[in-house]
Amino acid sequence: RYRFGETHLTPGEFAEQLKERRPEGSRGRVYSILNITGTAGFFWITLGLLGQVLFTGRMIIQWIASEKLKRSVIPNAFWWMSLGGATMLIIYFVWRVDIVGIIGQSTGWFIYMRNLWFIHSRPAEHRS
């Protein structure tokens, strides 16, 4: 039990009292920064951020592979990370109802699938 003034409250009652005393329209700092209105939004924001991390990470993988061989190469991991990141971002953009993001990631998604098809449909001895 918690004390709120002179009243003893359960944790749920205490949370309700805090919520009621918060100014109208006020949200927590994290909620405001991430522009979300509920706890379910954290899941969606996390999905979007992880998708973006995968999408950015693919360029780092490509850069490291190229530096290692001293020539420009695109490793298979690049295409898998592109596909994974794009898929996560498409799902996120659908939740956000962001048609620009959906269209932007969808076109790339087909290209990543096609490149993976090329890679995995040829004999193993010719794969990089």
Side-chain angles (χ1 to χ4, degrees):
R1 289 189 140 327
Y2 298 93
R3 275 187 79 163
F4 200 79
E6 293 300 316
T7 310
H8 291 280
L9 305 171
T10 66
E13 292 168 336
F14 182 71
E16 280 299 315
Q17 287 287 327
L18 287 177
K19 188 175 177 182
E20 288 174 14
R21 291 174 184 243
R22 181 177 282 178
E24 187 65 36
S26 172
R27 299 182 292 181
R29 180 174 291 185
V30 173
Y31 281 75
S32 295
I33 291 170
L34 298 177
N35 191 26
I36 56 176
T37 57
T39 53
F42 280 110
F43 166 79
W44 293 107
I45 294 295
T46 301
L47 180 74
L49 289 172
L50 288 174
Q52 191 59 52
V53 166
L54 266 178
F55 212 70
T56 301
R58 74 194 178 119
M59 298 307 296
I60 295 168
I61 294 295
Q62 191 273 332
W63 175 45
I64 291 169
S66 293
E67 287 294 330
K68 191 175 188 180
L69 296 174
K70 302 293 184 213
R71 63 183 176 90
S72 182
V73 295
I74 301 175
N76 291 348
F78 175 90
W79 299 113
W80 285 109
M81 291 174 77
S82 297
L83 183 64
T87 300
M88 292 170 81
L89 287 170
I90 289 168
I91 294 167
Y92 172 76
F93 287 134
V94 166
W95 175 70
R96 281 287 191 184
V97 191
D98 181 340
I99 191 66
V100 174
I102 295 167
I103 291 170
Q105 291 300 319
S106 296
T107 51
W109 193 89
F110 288 105
I111 295 168
Y112 312 141
M113 286 294 292
R114 187 67 175 150
N115 277 288
L116 285 166
W117 175 264
F118 287 144
I119 291 167
H120 293 287
S121 65
R122 65 182 183 201
E125 68 268 7
H126 297 291
R127 293 183 194 162
S128 58

